[in-house]
Amino acid sequence: MYLNGTKCAFLALSCFLSVSVMAKNIVPTTGQGVPKPLCFIENKGQMESKDVQFTLSSSGVNLYIGKGQLHYQFRKMEGEVAGAPRMRTYRMDVTLLGANPEAKVETTGQQAYFENFYNGSSANGITAHSYSRITYKEVYPGIDWVLYLNGDKVEYDFVVQPGADAGRIQLQYGGASKLGVSADGGIC
């Protein structure tokens, strides 16, 4: 995998890690045409996968979060075919090797934005709330994984408690052979 032009086989962490994904020009909208804020939406059953606990959508990228994994789905316009836009999709997975897949989840920063889903199992539908911060407690012994919003970026940190072994943190990247940042700040 390439990160900022440098080949990376393993990412060593001494105490803390912060990774950002630019969410430039956020344009997804609600059904009423109101811009959708950048936020983590909880999975309350609207997605079939029980492994996905939260989602985040922005212009050109969807992020699925859960059970010690991040799944990025990038979309890129590649012209038109018969007058219809042609979209190419790329996927990149990040797995926390050896992490606790059942780590306790804490949410903070509940946002005013929410989504309602109707799937036939509930006459009143399902309300999925949104948050600005997700913490997976003890994803490794003595280590919490915190995902949060910082302006128009999604970032995550590992918070290592005194005495915990930061060397247990290992990230495995899959699905991407190259990853870079374009001149306009987008991911390419």
Side-chain angles (χ1 to χ4, degrees), residues 147-165:
L147 297 97
Y148 56 96
L149 304 174
N150 183 5
D152 64 350
K153 297 178 187 175
V154 175
E155 298 182 353
Y156 60 86
D157 299 334
F158 290 98
V159 179
V160 179
Q161 302 301 320
D165 180 8

Side-chain angles (χ1 to χ4, degrees), residues 30-135:
T30 64
Q32 295 77 33
V34 176
K36 179 180 174 182
L38 188 63
C39 56
F40 300 108
I41 304 287
E42 62 187 341
N43 182 6
K44 298 294 276 186
Q46 72 272 21
M47 297 189 69
E48 288 185 24
S49 175
K50 302 291 184 206
D51 291 338
V52 174
Q53 296 167 306
F54 298 91
T55 64
L56 180 140
S57 296
S58 180
S59 180
V61 65
N62 291 329
L63 175 59
Y64 303 95
I65 306 159
K67 306 228 179 217
Q69 297 184 334
L70 300 174
H71 304 285
Y72 295 92
Q73 190 176 60
F74 301 99
R75 297 175 308 279
K76 182 178 179 184
M77 291 294 297
E78 293 193 342
E80 293 185 5
V81 175
R86 181 176 174 198
M87 182 87 60
R88 183 169 297 244
T89 302
Y90 302 90
R91 179 175 169 148
M92 184 180 80
D93 301 314
V94 181
T95 302
L96 279 62
L97 296 177
N100 175 8
E102 303 302 322
K104 180 182 176 191
V105 179
E106 292 181 358
T107 55
T108 52
Q110 185 170 341
Q111 306 293 297
Y113 179 82
F114 61 91
E115 294 179 352
N116 288 322
F117 297 92
Y118 299 90
N119 62 4
S121 66
S122 172
N124 296 326
I126 299 167
T127 300
H129 295 281
S130 65
Y131 301 92
S132 62
R133 180 179 294 259
I134 307 165
T135 301

Side-chain angles (χ1 to χ4, degrees), residues 133-181:
R133 180 179 294 259
I134 307 165
T135 301
Y136 285 88
K137 303 295 282 183
E138 299 282 324
V139 73
Y140 295 105
I143 302 171
D144 297 340
W145 186 31
V146 183
L147 297 97
Y148 56 96
L149 304 174
N150 183 5
D152 64 350
K153 297 178 187 175
V154 175
E155 298 182 353
Y156 60 86
D157 299 334
F158 290 98
V159 179
V160 179
Q161 302 301 320
D165 180 8
R168 295 191 67 162
I169 303 169
Q170 295 183 33
L171 306 179
Q172 180 180 37
Y173 294 87
S177 60
K178 285 187 175 183
L179 184 64
V181 179

